[in-house]
Amino acid sequence: MPQGHPHALFIAARTYSSWSLRGWLMFETFGLPVKTHMVDLYGGNLAEELAGHGLAPARLVPVLRSPEGHVLGETLAMAEHLAGYFPEAGLWPADPGARMAARWLVSEMHAGFAALRSACPMQLLCQYQGFEASDTVAADLARLDQLFAYAETQRSAEGPWIFGDWSLADCFYAPVAMRIAGYGLTVSPRLAAYTRAMLAHPAIRRWRALALIETFAHDPYAMDLPRGPWPGPAPLPARAVSQGTPVNDACPFSGQPVTDLAEIDGTTVGFCNPTCRDKSVNDAEAWPSVMALIAR
Ligand SMILES: N[C@@H](CCC(=O)N[C@@H](CS)C(=O)NCC(=O)O)C(=O)O
């Protein structure tokens, strides 16, 4: 693996930015080194802000800067770049047939599913109740099932992911699972099982735990529908507290001295800043270093 500075990844609005999620998952789920930076998706100056970071002509998120200083502003190109840069990391399936199919599915996701993407914008806050899928959305879901069924014929690995083992295809389809979850879409048993597996994936749980810290002036995709709870695994009971004796002296994330406390499943845990506290409160089980401190 190349040494030196890691890649820099510029993302925005974890709650809503499905493409940012794709870019981040490529690093997070394959253990690739990265420094993540947040930019403002809704400030009206995204292209200018990106240019200020030396990322022109990028105008959307995510954007990646390589350790050598080259810039990439499209997730499909990022997938190919990272697969080439980290050849040992297994980003594409190893089996040639599965690899071809994975490239197909990733390309079709990148270019297609317009009805689903526009009718059901990704949001990780709730599950809307009573959402009625249009015929075009239903057709996108049928196409999704057809592609996943085809993938099953091309794979040699067993497992919950599109090609059995986790691959770049899952990075691209993870936000689709979030749309199925967020709108309670009626889908085939195959897609329902995939959505359940994705909701329980530790990286997805970490992303959402971070997303829930975000605040927005308004909900850009608010629907006039009742909101039910998020359908993922229920987090452990947890809350920020101002007093108590933590079980740890050093923050489980940074190793720095503890300044902010939370009570998580009955155990007081200390963190070095409110963000690390809050992401742990939002879903402690997403963070192994936090769980290691909690008496079970
Ligand atoms: N084709 C692009 C799509 C990226 C994209 O649409 N990003 C959205 C956020 S999810 C964005 O930056 N929107 C800002 C805007 O439209 O001004 C990719 O693959 O990265």
Side-chain angles (χ1 to χ4, degrees):
M1 192 178 283
Q3 300 296 315
H5 290 298
H7 283 79
L9 182 70
F10 294 77
I11 60 173
R14 286 186 174 91
T15 309
Y16 301 111
S17 179
S18 56
W19 294 103
S20 292
L21 171 57
R22 288 182 178 92
W24 181 83
L25 283 174
M26 291 183 214
F27 287 94
E28 181 78 3
T29 60
F30 292 102
L32 308 181
V34 67
K35 174 103 176 71
T36 303
H37 305 265
M38 300 300 293
V39 294
D40 184 5
L41 188 56
Y42 301 117
N45 303 309
L46 183 57
E48 290 87 337
E49 188 179 350
L50 293 173
H53 289 289
L55 302 172
R59 56 180 185 170
L60 303 172
V61 282
V63 190
L64 172 157
R65 182 161 52 223
S66 74
E68 298 75 27
H70 304 299
V71 171
L72 248 183
E74 276 283 335
T75 48
L76 193 51
M78 283 176 206
E80 289 299 355
H81 163 72
L82 292 176
Y85 203 92
F86 299 102
E88 307 303 325
L91 275 68
W92 292 116
D95 177 76
R99 192 162 63 241
M100 279 181 71
R103 284 197 153 100
W104 177 355
L105 262 68
V106 163
S107 306
E108 189 158 333
M109 177 68 246
H110 192 263
F113 296 97
L116 178 62
R117 276 155 56 178
S118 95
C120 305
M122 189 182 91
Q123 58 79 26
L124 305 179
L125 300 173
C126 67
Q127 182 178 70
Y128 283 111
Q129 308 293 299
F131 179 86
E132 292 200 15
S134 65
D135 290 349
T136 51
V137 169
D140 272 355
L141 293 172
R143 176 62 179 164
L144 193 61
D145 190 58
Q146 190 180 33
L147 288 176
F148 277 37
Y150 174 69
E152 282 173 14
T153 70
Q154 298 300 305
R155 71 191 199 187
S156 46
E158 290 300 320
W161 310 117
I162 302 175
F163 291 94
D165 294 334
W166 182 270
S167 76
L168 281 172
D170 300 295
C171 298
F172 276 73
Y173 282 85
V176 176
M178 298 303 105
R179 293 170 204 263
I180 292 170
Y183 297 85
L185 300 176
T186 302
V187 292
S188 67
R190 177 188 291 110
L191 294 179
Y194 184 73
T195 301
R196 274 196 304 279
M198 195 60 86
L199 287 168
H201 192 296
I204 290 291
R205 293 181 70 169
R206 287 196 284 279
W207 176 270
R208 183 166 182 270
L210 285 161
L212 294 179
I213 301 173
E214 297 174 330
T215 53
F216 297 93
H218 72 289
D219 179 345
Y221 307 116
M223 296 234 162
D224 194 15
L225 288 172
R227 294 170 181 228
W230 182 249
L236 292 174
R239 64 194 174 104
V241 292
S242 53
Q243 292 185 330
T245 307
V247 289
N248 57 317
D249 297 327
C251 175
F253 296 102
S254 68
Q256 299 294 312
V258 155
T259 51
D260 297 87
L261 304 181
E263 193 179 287
I264 300 174
D265 207 19
T267 300
T268 304
V269 180
F271 301 91
C272 74
N273 66 56
T275 300
C276 288
R277 177 196 64 199
D278 294 344
K279 73 187 187 189
S280 306
V281 165
N282 287 341
D283 193 354
E285 286 177 310
W287 311 99
S289 60
V290 175
M291 291 309 291
L293 296 171
I294 293 178
R296 307 290 294 163

